[in-house]
Amino acid sequence: MLLGDERVRIVECCRRMAAAGLTVGTSGNVSERRGELVAVTPTGVDYDRLAPEEVSVVDLVGGSVEGLEPSSELPMHLAVYRATDAAAVVHTHPLHATALSTVADELPGIHYLVMRLGGPVRVAPYARYGSTELAEGSVRALEDRSAVLLRNHGATTYGATLAQAYERAELLEWLCALYHRASQLGTPSILGDAELAEAAAALSDYGQHP
């Protein structure tokens, strides 16, 4: 089985994503790249019964190599791989991130952890799911960021590993939920460029260093 480890990780990630409420039904999709091949969730398969061998494997232009028919959002995944150094992409339909995408042009600096995503997260213009326009708009809004909100649709994150891409998806939803809750209480205080830059510098050296 081609990309066996990647396909197993994708199944595990999909189930984790569903359990966390980041998707509804069979919505959302996940991919991981190795070399010239990409493993990606198949279209319309319930995550509870998805098996690794059913995960699609395609080449970098979308040609089917193995597994079931790939997700309709394959163009967006491939566009992210072409435009960034991503090794994995996670596309979700979480409640707070999707709600924010309908009323704002960006998730502002509500918390210093937004710098884990590269800064305030832009909202890409609406385009039909699975379309080239959506893929192109997503990549433009991802410039210098590792996360994007998709107008009236959902969110996409990427990372150097599938675990990192998923963690960024969870962080993005937490930040959107925080902004929503703060907005209900009053007018949120938003961190300025200098404060965010200072936080980014501190975060770059945060954690254990072997």
Side-chain angles (χ1 to χ4, degrees):
M1 182 172 68
L2 290 170
L3 303 191
D5 291 343
E6 287 81 358
R7 290 159 100 171
V8 168
R9 284 194 292 267
I10 284 174
V11 170
E12 293 171 347
C13 182
C14 286
R15 290 177 180 160
R16 185 180 177 190
M17 190 167 66
L22 297 180
T23 63
V24 178
T26 61
S27 70
N29 29 82
V30 175
S31 69
E32 188 171 352
R33 176 181 178 178
R34 190 208 300 172
E36 300 301 303
L37 295 178
V38 174
V40 59
T41 44
T43 185
V45 178
D46 191 288
Y47 295 141
D48 285 340
R49 64 179 184 83
L50 178 62
E53 60 270 19
E54 295 176 316
V55 172
S56 308
V57 176
V58 301
D59 59 30
L60 292 177
V61 294
S64 180
V65 176
E66 198 170 270
L68 300 180
E69 180 183 351
S71 166
S72 60
E73 295 293 8
L74 178 61
M76 180 168 61
H77 287 255
L78 296 180
V80 174
Y81 289 124
R82 287 192 296 267
T84 72
D85 60 355
V89 177
V90 172
H91 171 57
T92 56
H93 291 180
L95 178 61
H96 293 94
T98 305
L100 184 60
S101 80
T102 70
V103 298
D105 293 326
E106 73 169 15
L107 167 68
I110 185 68
H111 192 282
Y112 65 85
L113 283 178
V114 76
M115 298 311 295
R116 287 282 195 195
L117 305 175
V121 179
R122 306 178 189 100
V123 178
Y126 177 78
R128 180 185 58 80
Y129 77 91
S131 66
T132 300
E133 291 78 12
L134 177 63
E136 293 173 348
S138 301
V139 166
R140 283 194 296 270
L142 272 170
E143 184 177 0
D144 300 321
R145 301 289 188 271
S146 57
V148 61
L149 296 171
L150 310 176
R151 179 84 66 195
N152 296 85
H153 183 156
T156 298
T157 55
Y158 73 84
T161 64
L162 184 55
Q164 184 182 59
Y166 177 79
E167 288 165 4
R168 287 172 171 170
E170 283 196 321
L171 173 59
L172 177 58
E173 174 64 357
W174 181 82
L175 289 165
C176 290
L178 172 64
Y179 184 64
H180 173 253
R181 183 66 60 87
S183 297
Q184 290 180 315
L185 295 172
T187 301
S189 172
I190 302 301
L191 299 176
D193 291 344
E195 293 164 319
L196 291 174
E198 182 183 28
L203 286 168
S204 68
D205 196 43
Y206 179 79
Q208 301 297 317
H209 303 281

